[in-house]
Amino acid sequence: MQLSPTNGDFTFVSSTEAEDLSGTIDAPDVKLNMGSDNAKDPYATTFLRKRGYGWLLEVDEDDPEDNKPLLEELDIDLKDIYYKIRCVLMPMPSLGFNRQVVRDNPDFWGPLAVVLLFSMISIYGQFRVVSWIITIWIFGSLTIFLLARVLGGEVSYGQVLGVIGYSLLPLIVIAPLLLVIGGFDVVSTLIKLFGVFWAAYSAASLLVGNEFKTKKPLLIYPIFLLYIYFLSLYTGV
């Protein structure tokens, strides 16, 4: 006697009939609900989010641009500054330096460092004039810029500021010599004149271009006087 009882979705068959049966059983996707996301969070986190203060828990992802080196962040190129220093200290065209980079690619930090260095060495015996040096650099460069523009020169104030600042380097170079031979008036005067001519030539050769033509002395002369005044701030004479 063959029995085929049923129980819901299951059908009981005999062992002989089971040999001929084949197929698959499709199981529906089963999702386990372990609770809401808030259940995983600490009590304080859940409380803040319910009160509308969830933004306090947000963490900004690190921006690669915020991790730049300090020199790059301040736009300081030490190699460029070193090259410009060499261009000013060795103004002879025969040396092969591209000196026009001092004028055509001006920067602020290099000239400022030179002016601050000149201010530091001027502290020796002339502390009261240190406050004047940066002022004279800024307003003296402004005077040269305005005069250059009136004469037809195509220069910007930033270019003049950079050239005048860098060209203080010759005065810094002769400063130790003046300390050593300060007692020899004739030699000291010659070194001072050499330093002023060196600084003025470095600045004038960069700022006085072919566009001035016959008006070059009108710009070279105030540049020369400016560096004489800078030297007087250092020597007190």
Side-chain angles (χ1 to χ4, degrees), residues 207-224:
L207 294 177
V208 180
N210 295 326
E211 65 268 22
F212 292 101
K213 296 181 180 179
T214 58
K215 300 177 182 179
K216 289 182 179 180
L218 296 178
L219 189 61
I220 295 175
Y221 182 66
I223 292 175
F224 181 74

Side-chain angles (χ1 to χ4, degrees), residues 3 56 63 68 75 77 101 108-109 116 126 141 164 187 206:
L3 297 177
L56 293 173
D63 190 354
K68 292 182 178 179
D75 196 18
D77 190 345
V101 72
F108 175 74
W109 298 107
L116 291 178
Q126 297 294 327
S141 299
I164 296 297
V187 179
L206 291 169

Side-chain angles (χ1 to χ4, degrees), residues 23 45-46 59 69 80 92 103 125 145 152 179 181 206:
T45 302
T46 305
V59 179
D80 181 61
M92 289 73 70
R103 169 181 170 174
F145 163 70
L179 293 177
I181 59 174
L206 291 169

Side-chain angles (χ1 to χ4, degrees), residues 2 6 15 38 42 56 85 106 110 130 168 179 204 220 223 230 233:
Q2 182 178 358
T6 60
S15 59
N38 290 335
L56 293 173
I85 288 175
V130 173
L168 276 173
L179 293 177
I220 295 175
I223 292 175
F230 272 120
L233 292 177

Side-chain angles (χ1 to χ4, degrees), residues 9-201:
D9 293 334
F10 298 95
T11 302
F12 296 93
V13 296
S14 64
S15 59
T16 56
E17 293 178 350
E19 295 178 354
D20 298 331
L21 295 178
S22 63
T24 60
I25 299 176
D26 295 333
D29 294 337
V30 177
K31 295 182 180 179
L32 299 177
N33 187 5
M34 302 299 294
S36 63
D37 293 338
N38 290 335
K40 299 179 182 180
D41 295 335
Y43 174 77
T45 302
T46 305
F47 176 79
L48 289 174
R49 287 180 176 175
K50 288 182 177 180
R51 299 300 182 188
Y53 297 102
W55 55 272
L56 293 173
L57 305 174
E58 295 180 358
V59 179
D60 295 334
E61 296 182 357
D62 293 337
D63 190 354
E65 296 183 355
D66 295 337
N67 298 326
K68 292 182 178 179
L70 179 60
L71 294 180
E72 185 178 350
E73 197 69 37
L74 297 176
D75 196 18
I76 300 176
D77 190 345
L78 295 180
K79 292 182 179 180
D80 181 61
I81 293 174
Y82 175 66
Y83 185 81
K84 291 177 180 178
I85 288 175
R86 296 172 63 190
C87 291
V88 171
L89 291 178
M90 293 176 282
M92 289 73 70
S94 59
L95 296 177
F97 290 108
N98 182 20
R99 300 187 66 247
Q100 290 302 316
V101 72
V102 182
R103 169 181 170 174
D104 298 338
N105 187 24
D107 65 286
F108 175 74
W109 298 107
L112 178 62
V114 174
V115 174
L116 291 178
L117 179 60
F118 184 73
S119 301
M120 291 175 61
I121 65 174
S122 298
I123 293 177
Y124 179 78
Q126 297 294 327
F127 184 78
R128 64 182 182 277
V129 301
V130 173
S131 59
W132 275 98
I133 294 177
I134 295 180
T135 304
I136 296 302
W137 171 49
I138 294 175
F139 288 98
S141 299
L142 179 61
T143 302
I144 300 297
F145 163 70
L146 294 176
L147 184 58
R149 298 293 292 187
V150 169
L151 295 176
E154 297 296 331
V155 294
S156 65
Y157 177 61
Q159 291 175 331
V160 177
L161 196 68
V163 170
I164 296 297
Y166 273 118
S167 297
L168 276 173
L169 285 167
L171 300 185
I172 296 176
V173 171
I174 68 170
L177 298 177
L178 294 178
L179 293 177
V180 175
I181 59 174
F184 302 93
D185 294 337
V186 176
V187 179
S188 178
T189 301
L190 291 177
I191 292 178
K192 292 177 183 178
L193 290 176
F194 173 74
V196 171
F197 275 108
W198 186 5
Y201 176 77

